[in-house]
Amino acid sequence: MDVLDLVVDAGSGNAYLGFVLYELFFRAQEKGELVSIEARPEPSARSEERARRLGFGRMRFVTAPLASAAWPERFHLLTALHACPGVSAPPDWRK
């Protein structure tokens, strides 16, 4: 399989999809980057810390609304996953 050079995960939330994609396409490779764009700072910060702990050094996190985020000029794959509350959010997310 050819290496994807750049994947963008739009509205990444907790970046669950991004972590799976990184594991599948980038972890064992020497190149490629995954950019997660999320408007909310809390999930973005948690995901960035998780990536650091896992050694996923080619995951980058952009905290900005999609409409005003600094998008890469060119990318190979764009993903956007909509997950229902309770599936992607902690059980106490409404508190």
Side-chain angles (χ1 to χ4, degrees):
M1 174 184 302
D2 289 338
V3 174
L4 296 170
D5 286 332
L6 184 58
V7 172
V8 175
D9 185 13
S12 59
N14 290 302
Y16 297 140
L17 178 60
F19 283 102
V20 170
L21 293 172
Y22 190 95
E23 179 70 29
L24 290 172
F25 296 108
F26 298 121
R27 186 171 188 171
Q29 305 299 326
E30 294 181 8
K31 66 177 187 174
E33 181 181 30
L34 190 136
V35 177
S36 292
I37 303 173
E38 171 57 44
R40 297 168 298 152
E42 295 85 6
S44 192
R46 281 193 307 266
S47 298
E48 191 167 15
E49 172 59 22
R50 185 178 303 117
R52 187 196 60 74
R53 284 194 325 264
L54 292 170
F56 287 13
R58 287 173 285 120
M59 282 186 86
R60 184 164 49 96
F61 297 88
V62 175
T63 305
L66 295 176
S68 61
W71 286 74
E73 185 175 315
R74 181 175 177 214
F75 46 88
H76 290 93
L77 179 67
L78 172 68
T79 64
L81 172 68
H82 172 74
C84 298
V87 174
S88 65
D92 62 346
W93 72 278
R94 292 182 191 202
K95 294 179 182 177

